[in-house]
Amino acid sequence: EEREIQAYRLESLLDATPRQVMFSDFEFINIDTQGAELAILKGMGKYLSQPSVKAIYLEINRQELYKEIPLVDEIDAFLQPHHFYRIKSKWTTEGWGDAIYIRSNES
């Protein structure tokens, strides 16, 4: 079945008034969206740089398992300017895995 849905950038939802969520309450982000992880990270906008966020846990890919998904090197490159570094990866034999990124205290 195919459905059309309305999607919003996380940054837009967090900036909405009245505030439903205080983003500064979050230290850990977990994203597993079948290849949309980088788009979601980009959609976080300024919130990805919030000092409260200490770690990110993502599904990552070494192979293009879904059409046009970003591979792990692209995610690493996007997160590095935000001071997040991949410290552990757990790979499957199918070309995908999980990774934990930790924010460096050095700016």
Side-chain angles (χ1 to χ4, degrees):
E1 179 178 345
E2 197 172 300
R3 293 185 194 184
E4 283 194 30
I5 60 169
Q6 182 68 45
Y8 300 92
R9 286 175 55 103
L10 182 59
E11 182 178 41
S12 299
L13 290 174
L14 292 170
D15 285 344
T17 305
R19 273 250 162 127
Q20 300 292 324
V21 175
M22 296 304 293
F23 192 79
S24 61
D25 292 344
F26 297 96
E27 293 183 350
F28 178 80
I29 297 170
N30 182 12
I31 305 173
D32 184 350
T33 53
Q34 307 307 110
E37 286 80 4
L38 183 57
I40 291 169
L41 289 168
K42 288 179 177 180
M44 292 179 68
K46 65 186 178 219
Y47 291 98
L48 189 58
S49 296
Q50 290 289 318
S52 62
V53 179
K54 308 286 190 248
I56 303 172
Y57 188 82
L58 300 173
E59 183 176 303
I60 53 175
N61 295 276
R62 281 196 252 210
Q63 299 170 209
E64 191 175 300
L65 301 175
Y66 306 100
K67 186 178 180 181
E68 299 179 12
I69 63 169
L71 301 182
V72 65
D73 292 339
E74 191 175 348
I75 292 173
D76 289 351
F78 176 78
L79 287 174
Q80 189 173 4
H82 297 280
H83 308 288
F84 284 98
Y85 298 92
R86 182 164 43 108
I87 61 161
K88 180 79 174 167
S89 305
K90 175 76 173 166
W91 293 102
T92 67
T93 57
E94 289 81 27
W96 64 272
D98 293 307
I100 183 87
Y101 293 80
I102 301 294
R103 181 188 300 279
S104 169
N105 291 331
E106 299 175 15
S107 297

